[in-house]
Amino acid sequence: MKYKIIDQEKYYRSGVFRHFMEDCRCSTSLTARIDVTELVAYSKKSGTKFYINFLYILSKVLNSRDDYKMGYLWKEKQLICYDKINPIQYVFHDDTETCTPVYTIYNEDYKHFYKEALDDVERAKQTGKYGLDSANHPNWFDASYISWLSYDSLNIELPDGYPYFLPIVNWGKYREENKRLLMPVSVRLNHAVADGYLIARVFKLLEKEIKEFTFGEIRMKRCSGNDSDFIENCILLDLDLNRRLEGLVERKQYEQYNLLDDIKEAVVVYSDNDIVGAGALRKYAYDDIENAVELKRIFIREKFQGHGLGTKLVLELIDWAKELGFNNIILETGELLKESFHVYKKLGFEVIKNYGPYVSKTDSICMLKKL
């Protein structure tokens, strides 16, 4: 167990920390329902336990930000941040109607964590002892599944003793609402180190991580422009652009620049067997930019958007362009496609004057990255 000592004067929440340590010691908690539809489906499809899958995702979320890993050494009056926190799960014994705490070490490797958590549960089933050992497990947080009820509210308040900063998380049975499976989750943190924003972020991060976890294995296939999956994705791209830009941009004028006949290098992204998106390279045919290749037909399907997969796709195409010996990679996007523009900026593309066929197109923005 490792931790770093936080300078309380330089702590970014120093004023709030001081107030809720000296004037108003209290916890803050929220209960909200999160969508676990995909996680339930994934668990059934993979033959894994939903409970342990969620425990892994929860542990990953709480280890993603220092605010959730805070502790307090009350004898030394030191505010600390652990390098890692681990979940205490619980096994319920039907015969005695009591629980046994199970100390499971968090590991970023899902398969390793799953095996260890499963083994820990099986060992705990063999004992009826409560066995809580906080003194030897200071960086473990409570993670309890209330499997008998789908509740709407739950509150855990600690008395005014020494400050307890680690999260306490509970969740109940999921239930169907509007053909989605929603599960109540309650998160409690000490108000000295967390507020409503930080707790709300836990719920947002849980849903984000659930989506990424259930994507399955992401793989990329290099192919040519006549690949059927690439062509299908281009059709969906055009439908999406027509819907988003209808009445704002005359799309027909761009069709001649998006033909697939001369595309020799394309990449299709898959999640297991589902198509995530695709993109391509096309050798630049004009002479105003030396030894350049153009990025074309980049599109990630809506279900998979917002998880960095478009960035991974573009990086794969950049690597391929380097392998092919190009010195520059260029692209054209639109003023109304701000999300795409910001992704390209983060990847090192810079705005240049409009090139080739886009010189007179006022709706176009052209960009270049040196390779």
Side-chain angles (χ1 to χ4, degrees):
M1 183 237 351
K2 297 179 180 179
Y3 61 82
K4 60 183 177 182
I5 298 172
I6 305 298
D7 186 329
Q8 295 179 33
E9 295 301 318
K10 296 180 180 178
Y11 178 39
Y12 86 103
R13 293 174 53 84
S14 59
V16 176
F17 178 77
R18 189 177 300 108
H19 172 66
F20 286 106
M21 285 291 285
E22 298 175 1
D23 307 323
C24 182
R25 286 192 176 186
C26 65
S27 302
T28 180
S29 61
L30 288 173
T31 296
R33 289 190 293 275
I34 65 171
D35 191 333
V36 295
T37 307
E38 278 75 27
L39 185 59
V40 172
Y42 173 88
S43 301
K44 290 179 179 178
K45 181 180 177 181
S46 62
T48 55
K49 292 186 179 296
F50 169 86
Y51 161 77
I52 295 181
N53 289 339
F54 180 74
L55 186 67
Y56 169 78
I57 292 168
L58 173 64
S59 300
K60 184 177 181 180
V61 165
L62 295 180
N63 275 282
S64 69
R65 182 166 179 152
D66 285 352
D67 293 289
Y68 307 136
K69 298 185 291 183
M70 304 299 281
Y72 191 73
L73 305 179
W74 62 276
K75 289 182 179 179
E76 297 85 354
K77 295 184 178 180
Q78 290 180 332
L79 176 64
I80 63 172
C81 178
Y82 293 107
D83 65 331
K84 181 173 73 171
I85 57 175
N86 308 292
I88 309 172
Q89 50 175 321
Y90 291 85
V91 169
F92 182 76
H93 304 286
D94 291 310
D95 54 344
T96 61
E97 296 184 345
T98 59
C99 293
T100 296
V102 182
Y103 292 94
T104 296
I105 296 175
Y106 170 63
N107 193 301
E108 290 184 10
D109 184 285
Y110 163 70
K111 292 181 180 178
H112 181 96
F113 177 87
Y114 187 91
K115 180 181 183 303
E116 292 298 315
L118 203 57
D119 290 346
D120 290 341
V121 168
E122 292 304 315
R123 282 191 292 270
K125 287 179 179 179
Q126 307 306 313
T127 178
K129 297 180 180 179
Y130 187 61
L132 194 64
D133 185 18
S134 299
N136 293 313
H137 299 84
N139 60 321
W140 263 256
F141 68 91
D142 269 45
S144 180
Y145 175 32
I146 304 172
S147 61
W148 311 277
L149 184 69
S150 181
Y151 59 86
D152 292 315
S153 179
L154 184 148
N155 182 61
I156 296 176
E157 185 60 71
L158 299 184
D160 289 342
Y162 73 88
Y164 182 81
F165 287 173
L166 287 173
I168 298 176
V169 182
N170 303 87
W171 64 97
K173 290 176 64 176
Y174 54 77
R175 66 183 184 223
E176 185 174 340
E177 295 183 25
N178 298 320
K179 298 183 179 181
R180 305 295 294 178
L181 299 176
L182 303 182
M183 185 176 76
V185 178
S186 301
V187 180
R188 174 268 176 206
L189 285 164
N190 192 292
H191 214 338
V193 293
D195 52 21
Y197 170 78
L198 288 171
I199 296 180
R201 285 293 298 163
V202 174
F203 297 97
K204 295 292 185 182
L205 289 169
L206 281 172
E207 291 198 329
K208 175 179 178 292
E209 290 296 335
I210 285 172
K211 286 183 179 180
E212 294 187 0
F213 181 83
T214 56
F215 279 165
E217 182 183 357
I218 300 296
R219 60 185 176 88
M220 300 196 187
K221 178 184 75 175
R222 291 185 177 186
C223 55
S224 66
N226 60 10
D227 180 87
S228 59
D229 289 344
F230 173 69
I231 293 172
E232 177 186 318
N233 205 69
C234 290
I235 293 171
L236 293 179
L237 167 59
D238 287 327
L239 290 173
D240 181 73
L241 289 173
N242 289 340
R243 175 183 59 82
R244 294 169 64 189
L245 303 178
E246 183 179 6
L248 300 173
V249 175
E250 179 52 55
R251 289 270 302 130
K252 283 190 175 297
Q253 63 178 315
Y254 289 92
E255 289 179 357
Q256 59 183 311
Y257 311 129
N258 293 319
L259 301 176
L260 307 183
D261 300 345
D262 52 352
I263 288 181
K264 297 180 180 179
E265 292 85 24
V267 171
V268 181
V269 185
Y270 297 91
S271 169
D272 291 332
N273 294 319
D274 295 329
I275 302 172
V276 170
L281 299 172
R282 184 171 67 187
K283 183 176 173 59
Y284 184 56
Y286 295 74
D287 57 7
D288 52 337
I289 302 176
E290 184 181 354
N291 194 25
V293 66
E294 193 173 10
L295 205 59
K296 301 294 295 182
R297 313 305 285 158
I298 304 295
F299 180 59
I300 298 295
R301 301 186 183 194
E302 185 175 4
K303 174 183 175 181
F304 299 99
Q305 291 176 7
H307 302 284
L309 296 174
T311 296
K312 291 181 180 179
L313 169 60
V314 174
L315 288 172
E316 174 70 13
L317 288 163
I318 289 173
D319 286 343
W320 200 356
K322 290 178 181 177
E323 293 171 22
L324 294 170
F326 289 101
N327 295 330
N328 299 290
I329 185 166
I330 58 177
L331 63 89
E332 180 271 341
T333 186
E335 287 191 350
L336 299 174
L337 303 176
K338 294 181 179 179
E339 306 96 331
S340 300
F341 176 79
H342 290 306
V343 169
Y344 296 134
K345 284 285 288 183
K346 287 181 180 179
L347 291 175
F349 285 85
E350 297 292 338
V351 175
I352 59 173
K353 67 179 182 180
N354 287 7
Y355 58 77
Y358 306 109
V359 169
S360 61
K361 301 291 189 293
T362 57
D363 295 318
S364 292
I365 296 175
C366 292
M367 308 181 78
L368 177 146
K369 176 183 174 68
K370 292 187 177 297
L371 300 177

